Each structure stands twice: as C-alpha cells, then as structure tokens.
Amino acid sequence: MNLYTHPKTAEREARALKKAAGRGEDGEGSVQVHLDPSLEIEGAKVFAIYGKGGIGKSTTSSNLSVAFSLLGKRVLQIGCDPKHDSTFTLTKSLIPTVIDILEGVDFHTEELRAEDFVFEGYNGVKCVEAGGPPAGTGCGGYVVGQTVKLLKEHHLLEDTDVVLFDVLGDVVCGGFASPLQHAERALVVAANDFDSIFAMNRIVAAIKAKSKNYDVRLGGVIANRSRETDQIDRFNDAIGLKRLAHIADSDAVRISRLKKCTLFEMEETPEVKAIQQEYLKLAEYLLSGSDELDATPMKDREIFDFLGFE
C-alpha cells in the first residue's frame, strides 16, 4: 500500500479496519489509524516514549536503550519522526529512513534486505528510523505500520527482547499515536515547566483513549532537563501519575549530543555516573513489569489554574 494514501482513503481504510476488528472509537470524534492484527509485536517488551518537542526524548530513548542492552537484553530502537535523529548518538550518523529506502525500490519490499534499513548502534542496539511522509501529506501511522511490517517480514522481532518507539513531539494525532497500539507501556518525558506539563496532560489523554482498545498502559514520567521536580510531582499527585526517574539537568547531557555519543560512552565523572545509574535503575524497573497507572487528565483550563506558585 502506498504510504501517501489520500486522507479520505486513509479514513475509509481506518474505519474498515476498526469495524473488522470489532473495536469502538478511541475517543469522541476519533478518526484513527488502527492496527492490522497481523502486525502485532509478540515476545518483546514494547515501550513508547512521548513528550513535548525538544524535551529530550531521543536522548532519553537512546540512553535507556543502552541501559537495557547493558542488562543483557537485545534492543531495537525505532525513531518515529521525519527529522530521523532518534538514533544518531547510537550510530554516530543520520541513518536512512524506511521511507527513503522504500522510495528507492518503488515500494517493492521484496527487494530489501534487513541491513538496508536496520543499523547496529552502540553496545549492539539495533536502530531503525521510520521517517515520515512529505510535509502536509500522508499519515505517520502508515509509516510506523510499514516499518513494523518490514521488521516482521525479515523476522527481526523474533530475536528482540525490548522494542522502544521514540515518537514525534507533543501533538499526538491518530497517526503518531499508532505506536501506542504496539506498546505495553507508554512513558512521558517532561520538564518542570508549564509547556511540557501541558503537553504531558494531552499525551496522558491519548494513552487513556488508546487503552480502551489496546493493551498499552501508562507507565509514568521521566523528569528531564530540570533541576527541580516540584511542579511535575504536584501534577502527578493530582492526576494519578508517577515519576519513574529524574535525569539531572547536567551539561554532560548537552555535551554527549555534541559528541554524537550516549552518556554511557562519556568519561565517568561522578555526575555522569549518577545519570548512568538513573537510566539503569529505570531499565531494571521497566523490565520487572512496572505498575500500570490509571491517570485522569485535567481539562486544559484546569492546568492554568493548577500550576505555578501562590
């Protein structure tokens, strides 16, 4: 199927898939891209990372992937952003996207080999960049679906323990919410400020909607790029969320990006070692099963009244 399907056609196909699966709407007024049951990821633990644009999702995802690998797990990280830079600290380059590769063979998937679109990163982490349709056209959900389809066709998910989706920004449309249909747990990266907490609230609402029809559950919050966590913690307590980790607001994180490497490749200063340990503890917790949270998002206007100082 062409990934740049006309929106009206995409809507009809989504509704047909939904009817065939016997599923209800994800939310009021929802027009969603629904999962083809044949594309379910089986056997691996699957996590989806969301958060406000620029909050550090890719840095968080890459370092968490390395932490999983250091615990002996076979890890696959899938970048779901047209910017396709999710994995560059793992691979030291901007790897070609699935969309780039598919266009090169006129979408004849039988001509592809696994090594055409899967690249090995630091400590054996397998890396894939899904990419995205051209600006203003197509649907990110089909891009993610085609990526998972390719991985299954090449039997790459059979040798994987952990799959981590690093997903575009804070606007969780039906297309870019599609990794939630694959995930066991969805995690939100947030800073201790209004904008990222506002985005987190919308992401929580999207996860809650998807959990009606899929197995995904909210896993918790990773505090990032913030010295304090007081506003995050207040918000979490109010809606039923939980902070799983606090990645220190450290210049070492910025430098690691400039060096095109993960924090596990940096000189082990006490500061860097502390951040490494935070990622390892988070990975251990997620592998242990982790709690599923049933948070209730606020209305937009409630957040304006709730956050801040008296």
Side-chain angles (χ1 to χ4, degrees):
M1 177 171 55
N2 191 323
L3 297 186
Y4 308 141
T5 307
H6 188 278
K8 290 293 184 184
T9 304
E11 180 178 334
R12 286 195 297 270
E13 291 177 355
R15 290 184 183 280
L17 279 171
K18 181 188 301 182
K19 185 176 181 181
R23 295 186 173 108
E25 296 283 359
D26 287 346
E28 185 178 352
S30 173
V31 177
Q32 302 282 336
V33 175
H34 279 255
L35 176 65
D36 180 344
S38 69
L39 298 183
E40 290 181 358
I41 298 175
E42 300 170 346
K45 282 187 170 291
V46 185
F47 304 98
I49 309 288
Y50 285 87
K52 175 183 175 291
I55 204 60
K57 292 182 300 300
S58 294
T59 301
T60 299
S61 298
S62 296
N63 284 291
L64 184 55
S65 287
V66 174
F68 283 129
S69 75
L70 290 170
L71 295 174
K73 301 303 179 183
R74 299 166 298 178
V75 185
L76 170 66
Q77 181 169 319
I78 303 174
C80 303
D81 188 330
K83 188 156 54 79
H84 66 96
D85 64 344
S86 170
T87 59
F88 91 91
T89 58
L90 291 163
T91 62
K92 322 309 177 200
S93 66
L94 287 178
I95 63 176
T97 70
V98 168
I99 295 304
D100 294 334
I101 298 298
L102 285 171
E103 283 189 312
V105 297
D106 197 26
F107 293 89
H108 293 294
T109 59
E110 68 278 3
E111 297 182 21
L112 296 180
R113 301 166 301 168
E115 53 265 34
D116 291 330
F117 58 94
V118 181
F119 298 82
E120 186 167 319
Y122 177 70
N123 207 46
V125 175
K126 298 290 192 271
C127 300
V128 174
E129 292 286 352
T137 67
C139 176
Y142 286 113
V143 175
V144 173
Q146 189 73 6
T147 299
V148 174
K149 180 180 179 181
L150 275 175
L151 292 167
K152 292 203 77 167
E153 284 178 353
H154 288 81
H155 306 287
L156 294 166
L157 296 172
E158 296 170 11
D159 298 321
T160 303
D161 301 311
V162 175
V163 177
L164 196 152
F165 287 96
D166 172 20
V167 192
L168 171 73
D170 55 338
V171 181
V172 189
C173 71
F176 284 108
S178 62
L180 296 174
Q181 299 172 7
H182 297 284
E184 172 186 330
R185 291 286 184 271
L187 310 173
V188 187
V189 181
N192 199 48
D193 60 51
F194 177 84
D195 288 340
S196 59
I197 294 174
F198 186 90
M200 174 164 63
N201 189 67
R202 289 180 58 82
I203 293 163
V204 168
I207 296 165
K208 194 175 182 69
K210 283 294 183 189
S211 69
K212 294 176 183 177
N213 294 319
Y214 296 96
D215 293 334
V216 65
R217 297 294 182 268
L218 188 61
V221 183
I222 302 168
N224 193 46
R225 291 191 173 175
S226 300
R227 186 180 62 183
E228 306 294 340
T229 63
D230 57 324
Q231 299 300 317
I232 291 174
D233 295 338
R234 284 186 63 234
F235 178 78
N236 287 351
D237 289 343
I239 73 166
L241 265 177
K242 176 181 178 181
R243 175 164 53 84
L244 304 182
H246 179 200
I247 309 303
D249 185 19
S250 166
D251 201 44
V253 178
R254 179 185 67 85
I255 293 171
S256 73
R257 294 283 289 181
L258 293 173
K259 285 180 174 287
K260 299 181 179 64
C261 70
T262 67
L263 283 155
F264 290 90
E265 299 164 82
M266 296 281 285
E267 179 185 353
E268 282 200 356
T269 64
E271 182 180 34
V272 168
K273 194 165 181 59
I275 299 174
Q276 293 173 350
Q277 289 302 312
E278 191 75 357
Y279 276 115
L280 287 166
K281 285 192 298 183
L282 175 59
E284 288 175 342
Y285 172 74
L286 293 172
L287 289 173
S288 72
S290 70
D291 298 328
E292 58 178 66
L293 306 176
D294 186 22
T296 303
M298 294 183 180
K299 298 291 187 183
D300 290 350
R301 293 185 182 277
E302 286 182 73
I303 303 179
F304 280 90
D305 295 333
F306 180 80
L307 290 177
F309 301 103
E310 293 296 334

